[in-house]
Structures are given as structure tokens and as C-alpha cells.
Amino acid sequence: MTLTAENVIEVEDLHASYRTRPILKGVSFGVRRGEIMVIMGGSGSGKTTLLRNLLGLMRPDEGAIRIFGKDITQASLSEIRDLRKRMGVSFQGGALFGSMSLAENVQLPLREHTQLDEETIRIMTRLKLEFVDLSGYEDLMPSELSGGMVKRGALARAIVMDPKLLFFDEPSSGLDPVVSAELDQLILDLRQAMEMSIVVVTHDMASALKIADRITVIDSGVVVISGTVNEIQNCSDERVQNLLHRRPRKSSVNAEEYLRRLTEA
């Protein structure tokens, strides 16, 4: 992989495991300034482990992760915390706090990390809620919101501090096709309006093809391909074609081997 000054994220030869089980096996790729990078792969491919490493939630066994030029694998906790103030994260289930109203959820990063006065906090909250089309819902609790509204509320919280890098985990998960398409358009609008780099982890190929500038496909902890939408669509690798056309992976069962593993267990 060629690393350049235009990359806001540089992942180089990343290895990560849980206990003795290897998950990521030499992952390398970059995310350019101002682009939408989609990370794709089947269940168990290593997407979630990669995201946890990118967010500094776990330390890899080997390799480097440079975010805004800082290698977070060698950074102290305070340095990682400072970097996170320049990043936003929208989690898969929204992760809104159930005991707080929508507005209070969005305001939380501002109250934790800034010394802004109340009027400025209210203005910034209103602006972000208007951007995600949730104006007028400020006082509702998360339990009173639909799934799509929770996702958009989580996005408003993720961007309230105007980050230059946004991570979005499974934006279309649990949503109907219409709401999912609306969220895809919101991501595109967000990149244009705020000029941020966005990393989206998803298994939704239709969404990926719509929003991505480039797509990185991971399978069994290795990068199969990282390229443009056109390069992904024309990739001859069977694993990529399986994702594109929703084909099941081929598998064969050896009865004797299966019985041996059962008896050994």
C-alpha cells in the first residue's frame, strides 16, 4: 500500500486476535481526505474487529494505524482521547441513552468536551437536528422514536462537534429500504456539507454502491480488494462476486472429519 499525506487514515500490516484466535491478518489500506470509504465483508470477516482497532478500543498484535498522522497503536490514552474529539462515531444500534431526551443525547459531547455556554449548545444542537431532519423532536425520548429516527439522532450526536472524520457502523441495519435510502442520501449530503472523511462499515451492497468513493472488501481477516465501485464490480474474485450477487459461499462437509471433531470436543 502507498501511504500519502492525503490519507486521514493509514492502516499498515494490521494483525489482531482474540486470545489465540487470529482475526485480522495483515490488513492494509488508506482513507483519503474527503472520501467515503466503505468496508465490506461477510459475517465473521473481521469488519467489527477492524472498526474497534480504528477507534482505539483495542490494541492490535502488530501493525500501525495512523489517524491524522498519529499512530494510535503507540499513543497514550490521553492522546487517543484528544484524537477522538476530532472524530465522530455513529454506532450500529444508535446507542442513544434511554434516560436522556433526543436533544440531551446530541448535546452530551459538547457538555463533556467543551466549555460552551448554554445558548451556543442549544444553537449547535438545533442546527444538527435540522440537518438530519429531526427538528421538533428535541424533547422526545429514544423509546418514542422510530428506528430510522434513532439512527439519525445518533448521527446528529456524532457530528455535533463538527468532526473531520466520521465512522458509521451498519447504517442500514434494521431499516426498511426507503428509510435506508434516505440515510444513504444523508451521508452523501453530510460529506458535501461538512467536507469530512467518512468510513462506513456495512454488509448492504446496494448502499455501498450508492455512497462509496472506494470499497475495501475483507474476507477471513485479509483485504481481498480495495478500489473504486467500478473496480469492485469488475473484480473476478469469487468472494467479491458472492457479495455482489448475494451468493452463498461454497462449503463441503466431510462426514469423517466432522465426526472426528465432535468426538474430540
Side-chain angles (χ1 to χ4, degrees), residues 120-193:
T120 302
I121 289 176
R122 283 195 295 270
I123 291 172
M124 292 180 70
T125 301
R126 185 174 70 249
L127 288 172
K128 294 307 187 290
L129 286 175
E130 286 179 356
F131 186 86
V132 300
D133 199 24
L134 285 177
S135 179
Y137 296 93
E138 291 88 348
D139 296 329
L140 292 187
M141 305 300 285
S143 61
E144 299 173 305
L145 303 174
S146 69
M149 294 168 74
V150 168
K151 293 268 190 177
R152 284 183 280 139
L155 181 56
R157 182 178 62 186
I159 65 173
V160 73
M161 291 183 63
D162 297 323
K164 287 303 179 184
L165 177 60
L166 174 68
F167 295 93
F168 212 146
D169 188 16
E170 297 287 2
S172 61
S173 176
L175 302 180
D176 66 61
V178 173
V179 176
S180 178
E182 292 172 348
L183 198 54
D184 287 342
Q185 187 58 51
L186 184 57
I187 293 172
L188 292 170
D189 294 343
L190 182 65
R191 189 264 300 274
Q192 181 175 356

Side-chain angles (χ1 to χ4, degrees), residues 65-76 79-80 83:
I65 304 171
R66 285 179 283 275
I67 298 180
F68 301 124
K70 181 71 175 181
D71 187 353
I72 65 171
T73 67
Q74 305 297 321
S76 66
E79 289 173 324
I80 292 175
L83 273 176

Side-chain angles (χ1 to χ4, degrees), residues 86-107:
R86 303 170 63 188
M87 299 155 46
V89 185
S90 187
F91 298 97
Q92 180 173 342
L96 296 182
F97 291 97
S99 60
M100 296 180 177
S101 68
L102 175 60
E104 289 170 336
N105 268 282
V106 175
Q107 292 166 1

Side-chain angles (χ1 to χ4, degrees), residues 231-262:
E231 289 170 335
I232 297 298
Q233 290 176 315
N234 290 300
C235 179
S236 61
D237 191 287
E238 183 179 24
R239 294 164 293 183
V240 177
Q241 290 301 313
N242 287 344
L243 280 174
L244 282 168
H245 301 291
R246 299 187 64 192
R247 293 198 298 247
R249 289 173 292 187
K250 295 179 181 179
S251 61
S252 58
V253 178
N254 183 303
E256 291 184 1
E257 174 64 17
Y258 179 65
L259 180 59
R260 182 188 64 77
R261 286 191 282 112
L262 284 178

